Amino acid sequence: MLHCTFAHEKVNNPLKARIHVVRYEPYVDSAVVCWQCGICINSCPIGVIKRNRATGAVVIDEKKCNGCGQCQLVCPIGAITMDPTRLVALKCDLCKGDPACVKGCPYNALGFEKPENGAYYRRLESALVLGRKELG
Amino acid sequence: MTFGFVGKIARIDLTNGKVKKEPIDDKTAKRFVGCVGYAAKILWDELEPGMDPLGPENKLIMATGPLTGTLVPNSGSYEACFKSPLTGVWAETRSGGRWGSYLKYAGYDMLILEGKSEKPVYLTVLDGEVEIKPADKIWGKTVPETEAIIKEEIKTPEASIASIGVAGENKVKIACIMNDLERAAGRCGGGAVMGSKNVKAIAAYGHGDIAVAKPDEFMKVLKATEENIMKHPGRAGMLLGTIGAFTTVSQMGDLPTKYGWSGRWDKAEEYYDRFLKTNYIKNRACWTCMLACGRYSESKGKWPTIAYGGPEYETAGVMSAFCLIDDNDALIRANYLCNIHGLDTISAGHMAAFAMQCYEKGLITKEDTDGVELTWGNAEALMTMLEKIAKRQGFGDVLAEGIRGAAQKIGKNSIELALEVKGLDMPMHDPRAGKSLAVQYGTANRGMCHIHPQEVHDCEHLGADWDLRPYGLPEVKDRFGENKDKALIAKLVQDFGVGPDILGTCKFPQGTGFRLDFTAALLSATTGWQVSGKELLKLGERVINLQRCFNIREGLRRKDDMIPSALRQPHATGTTKGVAVTNYEVMLDDYYDLRGWDKQTGIPTRQTLERLALSDVADDLAKYVKIP
């Protein structure tokens, strides 16, 4: 979280981060980051959220964002936050294809995959869920 | 304003409910940095010597440092600083979790709590606004209940909350301040001070930035630091948590057993195995931590608990070997009880063991203890006593006074049995396993403490060197030897160990690759100052001397640096069998020489204070005592 804000704004501030680590008792510690699903693209009334084909990231143009918060409401996993001082929506832009959180994680717990491999990993995830169900 | 700091202190006068915002003074920051250094200067300037620590004139400072809340590894710390009701002298007590960082994001480096509220209150620090709110709903509640109710009431589910349990409310002198459910600013009775001010909790949350002076350099040094930590052999040990050292420490004769009768507990290996198999769930990290030494565990056996944080090594030692209780479920339960009631686990277990020692020697009987049989290994008695201490019921009221208070109430020379220095009871390390610890125990400013400033004897029995060889850390040939080297180790590692306390970070990475030069470089990049490793040691020495002056002003002298006579008795079993501390006075003389303190009185000489740029402190001190 801190790496994220530091890369984007050069300050230490987890609450302006675009990736979040949720702690919930008992003992849930989990990173939540945008899936780049794109539901927010159509929710934007002024059309400033667009997909970057090169990185696969869904990117908000923060200069044009008017802070209405529609995208935050439609996001299925709560990955969009509002910057309380600039009043614009913040979401993961995959750092132009070189995410700071991935570089910054000393435990290599985060990875970054090319967008063209995205479908394969989604399939794998579903297959594992189904496979485990069959095994009981 | 100096970078790294957010630049503001909130002075909260609880008597009339007023909040004053003050800027961080750059000159003081440069001289003492932040956290305990800065707070020591405030308490030095503002507290009258001899006043009642539980009276409204005491001040409780919740302090963070310039590195707290930044990307620096393990920087999620705060320290509570005050005059201790347990020892009557300087007290600092650190806690991890998130609260310290969240206080800075909320807009303040420090909170100073003054006076006393008429009715129970809690404080909220949300995005720069400090509010005092009635605590009727949460007074008397446990720590988890308090946190849940406050989060609901202020509609901020992500807020971080520091609070006290019933122990703090009852001004139990071994009460702690808890934050984020399971992290504790444990020692010295901070909870009692907070309780004496009628403050139940402080919630912090905010969106503020912490800017650094040189972002690119900061990132560069940070990378190098993290890489060094990741490849450091000590990190693997820390991943097992502090309790991971349980068996090793026992084998080295460093695990006080049966109230210090031995340093080796023969059941340690089985006990630890059982803990891993039946209780342990996962590791937990504090804010920005790379080590994740926190345990998460539960008990399903005779002493059931929900899944909860802990136990640490100290807790495990004091609730098992020290009381001879061979029941790991009892440990989890005892740890849980202490956490929800806000009791310092070390002191609470220590008091139970002290009572068992007195019971065995016949100084107290069943009539004194409300019918509780305080025999060695009695887990039921431990649980009963913990509840009684927290609620100050019956014999618990005696033990709630802390080691000196309890010994005084029990009488019959029971103080002779007590393991304490300056009124703080002994944690779970034994100087007979490494003699430099005797000097640390005797001279640490907050009393008999293993970790403030630092666990100096690690270099003797665990092979730690903190990468301090270039700064003159001697090789240890004989850990049982009592020579000049031991005083030198103590002094050097103390000066080094106070570093995290003034920067607002954790002490643990110090032994796992967070070298002194990295610390200095990160501080320089964050604040924009130019600080070298050597200068950081000198800053540490300055802060230690300032705290020492605080204690001298409260009336402490050389006699208060003496270790308890029980430590001069030889161990009965284990690798340290027959070892005792025999030449303590000589080591202390050497230590005073190195520090520049007068050997007769223990007071820092004027020359020493002037060398450390503390002449103003010397002038103040001269009003109370004759400075040699």
Side-chain angles (χ1 to χ4, degrees):
Chain A
M1 287 162 79
L2 287 167
H3 270 292
C4 180
T5 320
F6 206 86
H8 284 90
E9 335 226 349
K10 293 276 179 221
V11 291
N12 296 282
N13 187 339
L15 301 171
K16 289 181 188 167
R18 296 125 201 264
I19 178 171
H20 296 269
V21 180
V22 177
R23 174 165 284 202
Y24 192 77
E25 304 304 334
Y27 57 86
V28 172
D29 297 281
S30 207
V32 175
V33 64
C34 173
W35 295 348
Q36 312 296 352
C37 70
I39 292 178
C40 54
I41 295 175
N42 285 339
S43 80
C44 182
I46 55 170
V48 300
I49 307 182
K50 296 204 173 90
R51 186 177 296 276
N52 179 327
R53 286 285 154 198
T55 60
V58 174
V59 182
I60 301 174
D61 187 340
E62 287 172 20
K63 284 196 189 104
K64 292 186 188 151
C65 172
N66 65 5
C68 72
Q70 291 287 0
C71 52
Q72 194 181 21
L73 288 177
V74 301
C75 178
I77 59 164
I80 301 181
T81 43
M82 299 301 287
D83 182 323
T85 42
R86 286 190 294 145
L87 291 178
V88 295
L90 301 175
K91 79 172 283 302
C92 173
D93 56 4
L94 293 174
C95 294
K96 301 194 175 96
D98 188 15
C101 53
V102 175
K103 284 190 286 183
C105 177
Y107 278 84
N108 295 325
L110 297 168
F112 180 60
E113 279 297 335
K114 288 180 196 154
E116 48 270 36
N117 290 344
Y120 166 71
Y121 282 105
R122 289 275 162 81
R123 269 200 295 280
L124 186 63
E125 220 165 80
S126 319
L128 288 176
V129 171
L130 290 171
R132 286 197 184 116
K133 241 182 212 164
E134 274 168 27
L135 286 169
Chain B
M1 189 200 87
T2 309
F3 283 98
F5 294 92
V6 291
K8 261 189 295 177
I9 300 175
R11 194 179 278 276
I12 303 157
D13 187 341
L14 294 153
T15 310
N16 56 28
K18 284 204 176 111
V19 180
K20 215 169 93 191
K21 293 173 192 174
E22 294 174 5
I24 284 274
D25 177 41
D26 285 352
K27 270 191 196 145
T28 313
K30 200 143 194 196
R31 212 158 136 220
F32 302 103
V33 197
C35 218
V36 302
Y38 200 106
K41 186 66 173 50
I42 297 177
L43 293 184
W44 171 261
D45 288 341
E46 299 182 10
L47 291 191
E48 281 294 314
M51 56 81 178
D52 176 15
L54 291 176
E57 56 280 25
N58 198 1
K59 300 188 183 191
L60 175 64
I61 304 186
M62 306 291 268
T64 67
L67 298 189
T68 308
T70 65
L71 269 162
V72 173
N74 304 49
S75 64
S77 299
Y78 72 91
E79 304 229 15
C81 303
F82 49 91
K83 179 176 160 180
S84 164
L86 186 62
T87 62
V89 294
W90 167 258
E92 64 194 36
T93 164
R94 196 200 75 87
S95 177
R98 304 185 160 207
W99 195 86
S101 303
Y102 276 39
L103 180 66
K104 277 181 83 174
Y105 304 142
Y108 294 98
D109 291 300
M110 292 179 201
L111 305 177
I112 308 176
L113 274 61
E114 304 181 332
K116 180 189 174 179
S117 167
E118 202 178 314
K119 287 190 178 134
V121 292
Y122 73 95
L123 310 175
T124 58
V125 187
L126 304 173
D127 272 322
E129 289 304 314
V130 182
E131 276 184 66
I132 304 173
K133 298 186 167 171
D136 311 332
K137 264 194 219 163
I138 48 174
W139 200 254
K141 294 274 197 272
T142 63
V143 169
E145 287 167 345
T146 304
E147 291 204 7
I149 296 171
I150 292 180
K151 283 177 186 179
E152 180 63 33
E153 211 168 276
I154 62 174
K155 303 275 179 239
T156 313
E158 284 185 290
S160 178
I161 293 165
S163 63
I164 55 171
V166 286
E169 292 173 18
N170 293 330
K171 302 181 199 66
V172 171
K173 288 186 181 170
I174 54 173
C176 60
I177 302 170
M178 301 292 301
N179 60 289
D180 306 290
L181 291 178
E182 69 225 21
R183 310 308 309 175
R187 310 229 67 198
C188 300
V193 177
M194 203 155 141
S196 76
K197 303 199 170 302
N198 267 333
V199 174
K200 174 76 176 168
I202 310 171
Y205 189 73
H207 298 82
D209 299 336
I210 303 169
V212 301
K214 299 172 192 157
D216 296 336
E217 195 187 320
F218 177 79
M219 211 36 136
K220 214 173 84 197
V221 187
L222 182 76
K223 274 273 149 209
T225 312
E226 289 186 345
E227 270 163 26
N228 199 47
I229 294 177
M230 287 310 283
K231 67 174 193 228
H232 195 280
R235 190 180 61 91
M238 283 315 297
L239 284 175
L240 300 169
T242 50
I243 194 177
F246 197 73
T247 49
T248 323
V249 165
S250 167
Q251 282 151 13
M252 297 311 284
D254 192 25
L255 174 62
T257 302
K258 200 184 174 194
Y259 209 73
W261 167 78
S262 171
R264 166 88 176 107
W265 191 39
D266 49 6
K267 299 194 174 82
E269 286 79 5
E270 285 168 45
Y271 184 87
Y272 181 60
D273 273 354
R274 266 205 319 275
F275 162 76
L276 285 184
K277 279 191 196 116
T278 56
N279 305 117
Y280 169 66
I281 300 171
K282 69 179 273 192
N283 287 14
R284 281 304 276 304
C286 296
W287 192 246
T288 69
C289 173
M290 288 178 65
L291 303 174
C293 75
R295 308 282 90 178
Y296 216 70
S297 50
E298 69 181 327
S299 153
K300 290 177 182 149
K302 189 182 169 197
W303 303 103
T305 67
I306 56 166
Y308 210 80
E312 300 292 331
Y313 161 77
E314 292 293 326
T315 315
V318 79
M319 303 294 184
S320 65
F322 209 49
C323 301
L324 287 185
I325 298 173
D326 184 20
D327 182 345
N328 40 314
D329 283 342
L331 156 67
I332 306 298
R333 177 79 179 168
N335 175 63
Y336 174 70
L337 282 180
C338 286
N339 280 350
I340 64 167
H341 291 323
L343 274 175
D344 173 18
T345 53
I346 302 178
S347 288
H350 188 114
M351 291 315 297
F354 176 66
M356 288 174 184
Q357 178 84 328
C358 291
Y359 195 85
E360 188 192 54
K361 305 267 183 220
L363 304 183
I364 46 173
T365 61
K366 238 169 137 176
E367 279 83 62
D368 302 308
T369 62
D370 327 316
V372 183
E373 283 193 52
L374 281 163
T375 47
W376 293 112
N378 188 345
E380 279 91 356
L382 173 69
M383 301 307 161
T384 318
M385 286 328 298
L386 291 179
E387 295 268 4
K388 277 175 181 277
I389 293 173
K391 291 166 189 163
R392 273 191 182 269
Q393 291 165 344
F395 190 60
D397 191 35
V398 174
L399 299 185
E401 285 300 311
I403 189 94
R404 278 191 186 172
Q408 199 184 3
K409 280 194 178 176
I410 292 168
K412 300 172 195 164
N413 245 347
S414 54
I415 192 73
E416 288 294 315
L417 299 174
L419 291 167
E420 56 87 21
V421 176
K422 300 184 177 72
L424 188 66
D425 45 273
M426 186 174 86
M428 291 304 104
H429 290 284
D430 200 307
R432 285 164 284 193
K435 295 291 174 59
S436 60
L437 185 66
V439 184
Q440 152 70 8
Y441 271 166
T443 57
N445 283 322
R446 75 175 187 178
M448 197 169 190
C449 175
H450 63 295
I451 192 73
H452 283 244
Q454 187 46 287
E455 206 168 330
V456 298
H457 75 319
D458 274 4
C459 65
E460 297 190 68
H461 71 319
L462 296 179
D465 65 2
W466 305 279
D467 299 296
L468 280 181
R469 300 274 180 236
Y471 299 90
L473 184 75
E475 292 276 354
V476 181
K477 291 185 190 77
D478 173 16
R479 66 181 170 124
F480 303 131
E482 298 179 1
N483 45 41
K484 270 209 165 97
D485 277 0
K486 300 303 160 87
L488 179 61
I489 292 170
K491 184 211 175 243
L492 178 65
V493 183
Q494 282 180 343
D495 289 349
F496 166 67
V498 82
D501 292 331
I502 58 180
L503 304 174
T505 62
C506 173
K507 286 176 189 290
F508 286 162
Q510 283 199 313
T512 57
F514 199 160
R515 294 195 317 244
L516 188 59
D517 54 325
F518 286 137
T519 317
L522 279 169
L523 180 64
S524 304
T526 305
T527 55
W529 304 332
Q530 281 303 326
V531 187
S532 70
K534 270 213 164 119
E535 282 164 333
L536 207 54
L537 286 178
K538 195 171 173 189
L539 275 166
E541 195 180 355
R542 184 181 295 152
V543 171
I544 286 175
N545 273 277
L546 175 62
Q547 294 167 351
R548 175 82 178 179
C549 288
F550 184 95
N551 286 355
I552 296 288
R553 192 173 67 173
E554 293 290 345
L556 262 55
R557 295 292 180 270
R558 181 188 168 101
K559 65 175 174 16
D560 299 291
D561 289 345
M562 288 302 146
I563 53 167
S565 51
L567 292 181
R568 299 169 193 248
Q569 310 292 325
H571 266 160
T573 60
T575 49
T576 50
K577 187 175 175 184
V579 179
V581 183
T582 47
N583 270 325
Y584 178 69
E585 281 74 8
V586 179
M587 286 195 288
L588 193 64
D589 279 348
D590 291 340
Y591 177 85
Y592 280 6
D593 268 344
L594 287 168
R595 278 253 176 259
W597 295 349
D598 178 53
K599 277 190 204 165
Q600 255 74 51
T601 54
I603 301 174
T605 61
R606 181 168 276 278
Q607 200 188 355
T608 305
L609 295 175
E610 274 168 10
R611 177 173 61 83
L612 295 166
L614 288 171
S615 24
D616 55 332
V617 173
D619 293 343
D620 279 357
L621 187 63
K623 290 175 201 156
Y624 302 94
V625 294
K626 198 168 158 282
I627 301 182

